[in-house]
């Protein structure tokens, strides 16, 4: 009686082994490091590595190691003090062509990484960094959409020869259109019904006047698109900081949380998050020699631009179109030759401008120039000041196949990935709606380290006290509960590592609470066994009854707590979610360890033999 089947023993062994493997990466502490990545197309090669290492050695800093990849380099240092010094030295040596940022480098062995083992992410309160809460003015996005409709309708009515007196946006929202007469009004309403399902028309209250308002669905879509585009733009900009595991997520309906672990320069982060970007379309100057222009003999009306992929190109200064007219950009494939392309849609005004600009340039190459205005903080002669710079680079050159209007395609792309990236840049080159920083916090690395040390101490003390008490009170059954409790902590850490969940200070509180709650199931089982023994049941039957009859109570108590944890995760934000994640995972693992693993241990000790009395 009370024997564990062989298949279950093997299953428990494999589960425990897997948990130990995937929890192990958290034992290896990360190295303070400096990440170097090119701002544009500069090389990250052995020459650059040698230059950085020699500069550090001259300053008396010896790196623990250097990890070099195709587009980045990670310089590992011995401690945080050396990390901060190294960042300043490397930034001074490399200049503006490279982005130099603080980071933490994993020390997980290669064989563990090959198995997919990764440590848990650490939240802002444990690693240190900056936290911003940005409020999005989604009403401005709706206003911009209405203004685009005004320009679009004017262009379409002119094209269709529909005569109108005024098309204007109303102060309270919506549009009003006044036509010349009833006939033109009928034609206008027909065009609106055919081409503008996003607009609802109502009687304007005056002769030949129509009021237009965006449908509720389109208003929601516009606001949703503004938030999504702002999220994409912010993620692109945060990449420049070289931040490991940044948190950029929507909070509520009109707010975005940006957490940058490891970043201590709040001014630098604000500069990059607030940078503005746009696009310009220029014709390529095919009449003059590029080599001559590169040597300084630039013809009037032209300018040499750098290509994103390397090299230069000579473009005409005249701007054909700017990115402010782009409504949408999607990556796809040309049905004729199945090559990747990007489909672009302009508003009415942009379409009219582009149609005129491309009419006489069919068969000629056109370039898309990405322009970003950034500011950075520099220190010269002991004084800190902001320097604003304008970065211009050509992201695409393609031949105009036909006269272009509101919708056109950019071809000549090398891969689907390049097309996706280009569409992303065209959509997310600028913020879709204004944002304002409403909350700003900085957490120092020393405070984060202190939080980790105190968190580990609290878990250790809680675990030790529970283990000692249970072992003293329940003897052998207490030791079985202790084994289950230790494995519960291993399972919890392993699952959070596999899910790549972010551990925060409230998350550590959740772990401490879980450890206290995890032993409840074993208390219920052991007390049930004691009750059976007092009623005269044999030891083997008492063990069997204790585990079988306590299960319903264990399930009930844990399910109610699990429901509370799920609700906390669903409606909570930030720290509350961190607490809820560890609580929910801990409840599930505690149920498994308390019922399955502790019983397997007890069966190994008492199962399959006659027992006179139990040590409980």
């Amino acid at each position: 009686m009370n024997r564990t089947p062989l298949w279950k023993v093997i299953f428990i062994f494999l589960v425990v082994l897997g948990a130990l493997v995937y929890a192990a990466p958290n034992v290896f502490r990360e190295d303070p490091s400096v990440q170097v990545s090119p701002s544009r197309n500069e090389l990250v090669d052995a020459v650059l590595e040698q230059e950085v290492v020699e500069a550090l050695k001259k300053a008396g800093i010896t790196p623990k190691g250097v990890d070099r990849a195709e587009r980045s380099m990670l310089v590992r240092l011995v401690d945080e003090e050396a990390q901060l010094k190294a960042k300043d030295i490397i930034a001074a040596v490399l200049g503006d062509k490279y982005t130099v940022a603080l980071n933490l480098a994993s020390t997980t062995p290669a064989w563990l990484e090959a198995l997919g083992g990764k440590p848990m992410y650490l939240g802002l309160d444990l690693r240190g960094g900056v936290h911003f809460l940005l409020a999005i003015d989604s009403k401005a996005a709706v206003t911009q959409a209405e203004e685009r409709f005004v320009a679009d309708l004017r262009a379409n009515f002119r094209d269709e020869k529909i005569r109108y007196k005024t098309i204007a946006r109303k102060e309270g929202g919506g549009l009003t259109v006044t036509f010349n007469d009833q006939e033109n009004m009928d034609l206008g309403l027909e065009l609106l019904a055919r081409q503008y399902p996003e607009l609802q028309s109502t009687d304007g209250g005056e002769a030949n006047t129509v009021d237009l308002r965006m449908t509720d669905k389109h208003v929601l879509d516009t606001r949703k698109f503004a938030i999504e585009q702002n999220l994409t733009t912010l993620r692109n900009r945060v990449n420049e900081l070289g931040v490991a595991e940044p948190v950029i997520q929507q909070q509520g309906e009109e707010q975005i949380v940006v957490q940058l672990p490891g970043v201590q320069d709040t001014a630098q982060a604000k500069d990059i998050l607030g940078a503005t970007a746009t696009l310009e379309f220029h014709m390529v100057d095919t009449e003059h020699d590029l080599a001559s222009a590169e040597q300084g003999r630039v013809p009037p009306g032209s300018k040499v631009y750098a290509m994103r992929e390397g090299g230069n190109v000579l473009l005409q200064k005249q701007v054909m179109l700017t990115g402010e007219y782009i409504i949408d950009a999607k990556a796809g494939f040309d049905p004729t030759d199945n090559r990747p392309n990007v489909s672009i849609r302009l508003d009415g005004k942009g379409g009219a401008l582009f149609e005129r600009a491309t009419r006489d340039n069919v068969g000629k190459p056109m370039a898309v120039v990405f322009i970003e205005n950034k500011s950075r903080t520099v220190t010269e002669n002991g004084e800190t000041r902001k320097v604003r710079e304008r970065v211009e680079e050509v992201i695409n050159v393609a031949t105009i196949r036909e006269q272009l209007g509101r919708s056109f395609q950019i071809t000549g792309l090398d891969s689907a990935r390049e097309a996706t990236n280009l569409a992303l840049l065209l959509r997310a080159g600028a913020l879709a709606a204004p944002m304002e920083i409403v909350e700003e916090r900085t957490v120092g690395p020393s405070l984060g380290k202190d939080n980790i040390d105190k968190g580990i101490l609290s878990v250790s003390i809680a675990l030790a006290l529970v283990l000692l008490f249970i072992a003293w009170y329940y003897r052998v059954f207490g030791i079985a509960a202790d084994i289950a409790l230790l494995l519960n902590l291993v399972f919890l850490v392993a699952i959070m590592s596999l899910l790549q969940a972010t551990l925060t200070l409230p998350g550590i509180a959740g772990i401490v609470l879980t450890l206290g709650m995890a032993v409840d199931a074993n208390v219920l089982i052991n007390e049930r066994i004691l009750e059976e023994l007092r009623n005269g049941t044999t030891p083997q039957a008492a063990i069997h009854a204790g585990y079988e009859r306590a299960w319903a109570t264990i399930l009930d108590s844990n399910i109610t707590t699990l429901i509370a944890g799920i609700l906390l995760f669903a409606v909570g934000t930030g720290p509350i979610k961190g607490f809820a994640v560890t609580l929910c995972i801990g409840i599930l693992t505690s149920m498994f360890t308390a019922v399955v693993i502790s019983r397997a241990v007890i069966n190994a000790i008492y199962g399959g033999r006659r027992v006179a009395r139990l040590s409980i």
Side-chain angles (χ1 to χ4, degrees):
M1 193 175 184
N2 292 322
R3 290 181 178 178
T4 305
L6 179 61
W7 71 266
K8 189 176 286 187
V9 173
I10 295 172
F11 171 74
I12 292 172
F13 173 78
L14 292 176
V15 170
V16 171
L17 180 63
L20 289 170
V21 167
Y22 288 104
N26 296 281
V27 176
F28 302 94
R29 297 201 67 170
E30 295 172 308
D31 286 333
S33 61
V34 177
Q35 179 172 309
V36 178
S37 52
S39 298
R40 286 181 286 278
N41 296 302
E42 287 74 18
L43 296 175
V44 179
D45 53 14
V47 176
L48 180 71
E49 179 182 336
Q50 185 66 26
E51 184 181 359
V52 168
V53 171
E54 287 180 358
L56 292 176
K57 286 183 176 178
K58 283 181 182 178
I61 300 174
T62 303
K64 285 180 65 175
V66 179
D67 300 337
R68 181 162 47 86
E70 183 181 354
R71 294 286 296 170
S72 66
M73 182 170 65
L74 213 58
V75 182
R76 298 173 182 263
L77 287 309
V78 291
D79 54 34
E80 285 80 5
E81 184 179 352
Q83 180 193 31
L84 293 172
K85 290 181 180 178
K87 177 183 180 293
D88 294 336
I89 293 167
I90 295 172
V93 169
L94 299 183
D96 301 337
K97 294 182 178 180
Y98 293 86
T99 300
V100 181
L102 300 177
N103 209 328
L104 291 172
S106 172
T107 58
T108 306
W111 66 270
L112 260 181
E113 289 187 340
L115 292 173
K118 294 180 181 179
M120 286 182 288
Y121 290 157
L122 297 181
L124 197 69
D125 48 4
L126 299 182
R127 177 170 288 184
V130 293
H131 165 100
F132 296 108
L133 180 62
L134 304 167
I136 298 175
D137 186 0
S138 60
K139 291 182 180 177
V142 175
T143 300
Q144 291 172 7
E146 289 177 342
E147 289 173 349
R148 285 196 296 269
F149 275 122
V150 169
D152 207 10
L153 287 171
R154 286 173 179 165
N156 261 3
F157 285 165
R158 281 197 299 267
D159 291 343
E160 298 292 328
K161 294 182 173 52
I162 298 174
R163 300 187 178 278
Y164 63 91
K165 292 179 180 179
T166 58
I167 301 178
R169 182 182 170 274
K170 299 164 68 176
E171 281 191 18
L175 314 176
T176 181
V177 183
T178 302
F179 295 92
N180 282 12
D181 51 42
Q182 183 64 43
E183 182 182 353
N184 281 286
M185 181 174 169
D186 292 340
L187 292 172
L189 289 173
E190 183 185 343
L191 185 142
L192 287 167
R194 186 174 67 250
Q195 295 190 18
Y196 296 92
E198 311 94 338
L199 296 176
Q200 290 177 330
S201 60
T202 56
D203 186 4
E206 297 179 10
N208 304 324
T209 301
V210 176
D211 284 344
L212 302 174
R213 185 173 292 274
M214 290 194 295
T215 62
D216 292 341
K217 180 180 182 303
H218 191 64
V219 170
L220 289 174
D221 289 344
T222 300
R223 290 180 172 178
K224 183 180 178 183
F225 173 77
I227 293 173
E228 289 177 352
Q229 185 168 334
N230 280 16
L231 281 168
T232 304
T233 303
L234 290 174
R235 289 190 183 105
N236 288 342
R237 294 177 181 181
V238 166
N239 286 341
E240 286 202 37
L241 288 170
V243 180
E245 299 98 44
V247 175
I248 305 171
Q249 61 187 20
Q250 183 176 344
Q251 177 175 296
E253 292 185 357
E254 297 184 352
Q255 290 183 329
I256 293 177
V257 172
V258 178
Q259 293 183 353
L260 309 177
V263 174
Q264 305 305 319
D265 189 345
T266 310
Q268 181 194 15
K270 288 170 72 174
D271 287 346
I272 289 182
L273 293 179
T276 57
T278 186
L279 293 163
E280 290 182 354
F281 291 80
H282 294 255
M283 293 303 301
V284 176
D285 187 346
T286 56
E287 297 179 0
H288 299 93
D289 183 39
L290 172 62
S292 177
E294 288 177 326
Q295 294 173 4
R297 296 188 292 274
V298 183
S302 296
K303 182 180 177 181
V304 176
Y305 286 84
M307 297 281 291
R308 170 163 288 181
E309 302 301 324
N312 297 318
V313 62
L314 186 63
L315 304 181
Q316 297 177 6
K317 285 183 179 179
Q318 182 180 358
V319 179
M320 302 171 64
L321 188 77
T322 60
E324 63 183 294
Y325 300 107
I326 294 177
I327 297 174
D328 193 18
K330 295 180 181 178
F333 292 90
D334 192 326
T336 56
D337 56 10
N338 205 35
R339 290 184 60 82
N341 63 19
V342 175
S343 299
I344 293 176
R345 190 158 62 93
L346 305 174
D347 61 19
K349 185 177 179 181
L353 287 171
F354 211 41
E355 184 177 344
R356 288 194 297 269
T358 58
R359 183 181 300 146
D360 301 323
N361 291 299
V362 175
K364 297 179 181 178
M366 177 184 67
V368 183
V369 182
F370 182 71
I371 302 170
E372 189 167 15
N373 298 298
K374 300 189 294 184
S375 63
R376 56 190 177 86
T377 305
V378 298
T379 303
E380 293 179 357
N381 301 323
E383 294 183 0
T384 301
R385 61 187 180 89
K386 283 189 176 182
V387 177
R388 296 193 176 275
E389 59 183 8
R390 180 181 171 94
V391 179
E392 300 178 329
E393 55 187 359
V394 176
I395 57 176
N396 175 260
V397 175
T399 301
I400 300 173
R401 301 295 183 190
E402 59 185 356
Q403 180 180 331
L404 304 176
R406 286 189 60 197
S407 300
F408 60 94
Q409 293 180 344
I410 293 179
T411 58
L413 303 167
D414 293 333
S415 64
R417 182 181 182 83
E418 184 183 356
T420 302
N421 291 340
L422 177 57
L424 189 69
L425 284 172
L426 294 174
R427 286 199 311 270
L431 298 172
M435 292 193 304
E436 179 186 0
I437 296 175
V438 295
E439 183 184 335
E440 176 184 328
R441 293 201 310 267
T442 303
V443 181
S446 57
L447 179 60
K449 184 176 182 298
D450 189 47
N451 286 340
I452 293 174
D453 293 340
K454 287 183 178 179
I456 292 174
L457 181 64
S458 64
V459 171
S460 302
I461 292 174
L463 185 61
L465 289 175
V466 173
L467 291 177
L468 289 172
F469 178 78
I470 294 300
W472 169 76
Y473 194 82
Y474 289 116
R475 311 294 171 80
V476 171
F477 283 77
I479 293 172
D482 287 349
I483 293 171
L485 192 61
L486 287 169
L487 288 176
N488 177 55
L489 181 60
V490 173
F491 286 145
L492 176 58
V493 173
I495 291 173
M496 289 189 68
S497 299
L498 275 172
L499 296 176
Q500 286 293 275
T502 300
L503 181 66
T504 61
L505 200 57
I508 293 178
I511 293 175
V512 175
L513 179 62
T514 299
L515 292 176
M517 293 170 56
V519 81
D520 287 353
N522 290 104
V523 170
L524 287 170
I525 293 167
N526 292 342
E527 290 299 324
R528 183 73 195 195
I529 292 172
L530 282 169
E531 187 179 335
E532 293 291 332
L533 290 173
R534 292 190 193 103
N535 292 335
T537 309
T538 63
Q540 292 290 2
I543 292 173
H544 181 78
Y547 277 97
E548 291 295 326
R549 294 176 183 175
W551 169 242
T553 307
I554 293 169
L555 185 65
D556 179 63
S557 62
N558 281 286
I559 287 296
T560 52
T561 311
L562 186 63
I563 291 170
I566 292 171
L567 287 173
L568 279 175
F569 181 81
V571 303
T573 58
I576 296 174
K577 281 194 173 184
F579 174 80
V581 166
T582 52
L583 181 65
C584 291
I585 295 174
I587 288 169
L588 295 174
T589 55
S590 66
M591 290 171 66
F592 174 77
T593 54
V595 176
V596 177
I597 291 182
S598 68
R599 184 166 191 177
V601 173
I602 292 298
N603 286 352
I605 298 172
Y606 290 111
R609 62 188 179 89
R610 288 184 177 275
V611 180
R613 61 187 299 274
L614 300 177
S615 178
I616 185 171

